[in-house]
Amino acid sequence: MLALHGVSAGYGRSLVLYGVDLAVPTDGAVAVLGHNGAGKSTLLRVAAGLLRPTAGVVELDGEDVTRLAPHQRVARGLAYVPQGQQCFPHLTAGENLRLVADGRRDGAAATADALDLFPALRPLLRRRAGLLSGGQRQQLALARALIARPRLLMLDEPTEGIQPSVVTEIQDRIVGLTRQAGISVLLVEQHLGFALRVADHYHVLESGRVTSTGTGGVGAETAVRAALAV
């Protein structure tokens, strides 16, 4: 589905990623783990087309998309939910969803499907997004991304600042997306338990380099903690 081959990237003269190789299979979930500053968010920005790599290749379905703009990658089935429960705070929750739905022929049906996944949003559609809780805003951001019916969903720290009950709900929805809806997921996450329950495979990123890889699942947490302690 998505593949990064020898990707290096950074800001100005400062490199953040060094020769990263990573693959997200069709219908699979991959977690990128690491300490703050390891380059995890930069990796997602490169995959989304928001940052051009200085070296290496980004592929979607075997096609080189390294030079494609973000909207061109979106048209090929990629959706990106950045860190921080992104929304338009002065618009209602419903208006936030319509910003995506109005540009689609199946916008009404896609919105209904997204709200079926996050039914807690239904009574909040007329409330300004800025007045929602952090967990509600994160559900809104996920629902908005899913209206585009992506084949690959990239998530940056989706559990940050969210209460445990909502974390569990988001976890269940992501697992359902990969196992039932056939959506691939690339996840950046600090919450190891959440990430490893969601992901089929993980990559540990340290100082911009992949230092460890393995199979997901709660049994992998000890190995990941050991890798992060290095």
Side-chain angles (χ1 to χ4, degrees):
M1 180 65 190
L2 172 72
L4 277 62
H5 302 290
V7 166
S8 296
Y11 306 93
R13 297 183 178 180
S14 300
L15 277 184
V16 177
L17 300 177
Y18 300 87
V20 171
D21 294 313
L22 182 148
V24 181
T26 302
D27 303 347
V30 172
V32 178
L33 309 169
H35 298 296
N36 289 333
K40 305 184 301 297
S41 294
T42 298
L43 186 151
L44 289 188
R45 288 177 57 82
V46 169
L50 297 169
L51 179 65
R52 182 75 59 84
T54 58
V57 174
V58 180
E59 293 182 347
L60 274 174
D61 293 326
E63 176 189 2
D64 185 348
V65 298
T66 310
R67 295 185 175 277
L68 292 189
H71 73 274
Q72 293 172 304
R73 302 189 194 197
V74 169
R76 285 162 171 76
L78 184 151
Y80 171 47
V81 180
Q83 186 177 7
Q85 303 108 39
Q86 298 290 328
C87 66
F88 295 95
H90 298 297
L91 299 180
T92 67
E95 289 168 340
N96 269 266
L97 298 179
R98 285 197 293 276
L99 285 174
V100 179
D102 285 350
R104 298 185 56 85
R105 292 180 180 178
D106 66 340
T111 300
D113 290 343
L115 291 173
D116 285 344
L117 285 173
F118 298 103
L121 291 176
R122 289 190 183 276
L124 303 173
L125 293 178
R126 295 185 179 182
R127 186 175 300 180
R128 283 174 53 181
L131 300 178
L132 301 178
S133 69
Q136 290 165 343
R137 288 196 303 272
Q138 187 62 276
Q139 291 179 76
L140 178 61
L142 288 166
R144 192 174 59 197
L146 291 172
I147 289 174
R149 298 199 186 280
R151 296 183 298 115
L152 171 63
L153 181 63
M154 301 196 308
L155 307 173
D156 193 353
E157 303 284 1
T159 70
E160 183 182 43
I162 295 177
Q163 63 190 56
S165 61
V166 179
V167 169
T168 299
E169 182 177 354
I170 290 174
Q171 172 189 301
D172 293 343
R173 297 300 178 269
I174 295 173
V175 170
L177 290 172
T178 57
R179 297 180 183 174
Q180 298 167 21
I183 296 176
S184 299
V185 172
L186 177 58
L187 168 73
V188 160
E189 182 56 65
Q190 293 278 3
H191 189 317
L192 293 187
F194 172 90
L196 294 173
R197 283 190 290 270
V198 166
D200 304 301
H201 302 280
Y202 70 84
H203 299 265
V204 174
L205 203 61
E206 287 291 334
S207 300
R209 294 177 172 86
V210 175
T211 59
S212 180
T213 63
T215 302
V218 292
E221 189 165 344
T222 300
V224 171
R225 290 192 181 280
L228 290 172
V230 174

